[in-house]
């Protein structure tokens, strides 16, 4: 793509795509951490 070697294209476009997907996954998994921590404080 754009005359770049495949490895360079993979690094330039693949890493940001991976990071965006990783961030979305982290936000999805951690969306209820406030509620979990509040209920955990009540239990102790």
């Amino acid at each position: 793509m754009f005359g770049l070697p495949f490895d360079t294209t993979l690094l330039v476009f693949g890493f940001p795509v991976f990071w965006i997907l990783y961030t979305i996954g982290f936000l999805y998994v951690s969306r209820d951490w406030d509620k979990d921590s509040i209920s955990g404080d009540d239990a102790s």
Side-chain angles (χ1 to χ4, degrees):
M1 179 181 276
F2 304 117
L4 295 172
F6 179 73
D7 296 339
T8 305
T9 303
L10 192 62
L11 286 174
V12 168
F13 293 104
F15 184 74
V17 168
F18 166 76
W19 194 255
I20 290 168
L21 292 176
Y22 180 86
T23 303
I24 290 170
F26 176 78
L27 291 174
Y28 179 76
V29 168
S30 66
R31 69 191 184 282
D32 292 331
W33 280 2
D34 287 339
K35 296 179 204 170
D36 291 344
S37 113
I38 291 171
S39 64
D41 291 342
D42 293 340
S44 60

